[in-house]
Amino acid sequence: MLLSRLSAVSLCLVGSALVLSGCANTKPIDETAGWSPNKLYSEARDERDAGNFEKAITLYEKLEGRAAGTPLAQQAQLDKAHTHYKAGEPAQALAAIDRFMRLHPSSPALDYALYLKGLASFNDNLGLFGSLSRQDLSERDQKAAKESFEAFRDLVTRFPDSRYTPDARSRMTYIVNSLAQYEVHVARYYHTRGAYLAAIGRAQTALVDYTDAPALEEALYILIQSYDALGITQLRDDARRVMLASYPSSEYLSKGFKSASDPWWKVW
């Protein structure tokens, strides 16, 4: 009797092991196995447009493999980069773009790749290009802004007639204004804390490195106030003359520093 029970138990264990082994060896079904490259591309685009970014990226990767060596594979690489960008994954987007540019340096879509690189480097939603926000772009890390500017400048220089160049130029202006305002933010910070020499240095950097930026008006005012605080009257008066010539109706001279409650780009 005992031997029979042990045999039954052994048979059950062996059966269970066989079942589990069979489950472990079952491969997941690839629903795209019979899809054509065009169907893959269409489905990936639909998933991306619906906001299903992870699934779209997976489909673009499958398409790149199946359509290797064709223009559709190149398009899949670019669309995957754009999907990473839309998903708020700039690092992955930049990696995909750099790979595309390395593999296809003569691609007719290189201008778009540079444009997308500029967007992904500086994934911003402020000011001229996004919803109204009270956060000043110039208060954020400037490294990304400089990398974005370089990508846009490369696009404008190499492809002046590209359909993406006009927007790239506008974004370059925005970035330059932001970088200038960053220097002025730092200069104002030093001025309010009595570090007048440091304030002068940062204000002069803005004036020398950037032209026609809105922040230069305040940079001159910081120079005037800092020279005055240090008793350097000749340089103070020189800065005042430049300010009156450049900004004859400036409110800084009559009202002082503006409120920090509004973004620098807000002009209404």
Side-chain angles (χ1 to χ4, degrees), residues 15-30:
S16 299
L18 290 173
V19 171
L20 291 174
S21 176
C23 293
N25 291 329
T26 300
K27 294 182 179 180
I29 298 175
D30 183 359

Side-chain angles (χ1 to χ4, degrees), residues 80-153:
K80 184 178 75 169
H82 181 257
T83 304
H84 277 303
Y85 166 67
K86 295 286 288 184
E89 300 170 343
Q92 293 90 326
L94 289 170
I97 295 166
D98 288 341
R99 177 172 177 267
F100 174 87
M101 295 175 64
R102 185 172 63 253
L103 293 175
H104 313 289
S106 302
S107 170
L110 194 60
D111 60 335
Y112 173 71
L114 287 168
Y115 179 68
L116 186 57
K117 184 174 183 178
L119 294 180
S121 298
F122 199 29
N123 189 2
D124 173 65
N125 192 33
L126 298 174
L128 182 60
F129 307 107
S131 59
L132 299 184
S133 170
R134 303 192 76 82
Q135 182 185 8
D136 193 328
L137 177 62
S138 62
E139 295 171 344
R140 302 172 63 184
D141 177 26
Q142 300 301 297
K143 180 176 180 292
K146 293 178 180 178
E147 292 174 350
S148 176
F149 182 87
E150 289 303 318
F152 287 137
R153 182 166 65 179

Side-chain angles (χ1 to χ4, degrees), residues 82-259:
H82 181 257
T83 304
H84 277 303
Y85 166 67
K86 295 286 288 184
E89 300 170 343
Q92 293 90 326
L94 289 170
I97 295 166
D98 288 341
R99 177 172 177 267
F100 174 87
M101 295 175 64
R102 185 172 63 253
L103 293 175
H104 313 289
S106 302
S107 170
L110 194 60
D111 60 335
Y112 173 71
L114 287 168
Y115 179 68
L116 186 57
K117 184 174 183 178
L119 294 180
S121 298
F122 199 29
N123 189 2
D124 173 65
N125 192 33
L126 298 174
L128 182 60
F129 307 107
S131 59
L132 299 184
S133 170
R134 303 192 76 82
Q135 182 185 8
D136 193 328
L137 177 62
S138 62
E139 295 171 344
R140 302 172 63 184
D141 177 26
Q142 300 301 297
K143 180 176 180 292
K146 293 178 180 178
E147 292 174 350
S148 176
F149 182 87
E150 289 303 318
F152 287 137
R153 182 166 65 179
D154 197 9
L155 165 61
V156 169
T157 302
R158 297 173 63 181
F159 304 99
D161 298 323
S162 168
R163 59 182 291 193
Y164 306 105
T165 293
D167 188 62
R169 291 185 189 277
S170 296
R171 292 176 185 271
M172 288 172 66
T173 298
Y174 175 50
I175 292 169
V176 167
N177 290 344
S178 167
L179 294 173
Q181 185 63 49
Y182 172 75
E183 297 296 334
V184 173
H185 264 301
V186 178
R188 189 193 312 129
Y189 171 86
Y190 285 134
H191 178 271
T192 57
R193 284 155 180 77
Y196 301 118
L197 287 176
I200 291 169
R202 298 310 286 258
Q204 287 177 335
T205 296
L207 290 164
V208 171
D209 291 351
Y210 308 102
T211 58
D212 300 325
L216 301 189
E217 180 181 359
E218 185 178 0
L220 282 168
Y221 181 69
I222 291 173
L223 280 183
I224 294 170
Q225 296 300 306
S226 297
Y227 284 135
D228 187 62
L230 292 173
I232 308 176
T233 56
Q234 181 176 347
L235 292 180
R236 177 201 64 194
D237 294 341
D238 289 343
R240 182 183 290 273
R241 279 193 293 270
V242 173
M243 187 166 188
L244 287 173
S246 303
Y247 307 98
S249 302
S250 176
E251 294 185 355
Y252 281 101
L253 294 175
S254 58
K255 298 181 180 180
F257 288 106
K258 294 181 180 179
S259 169

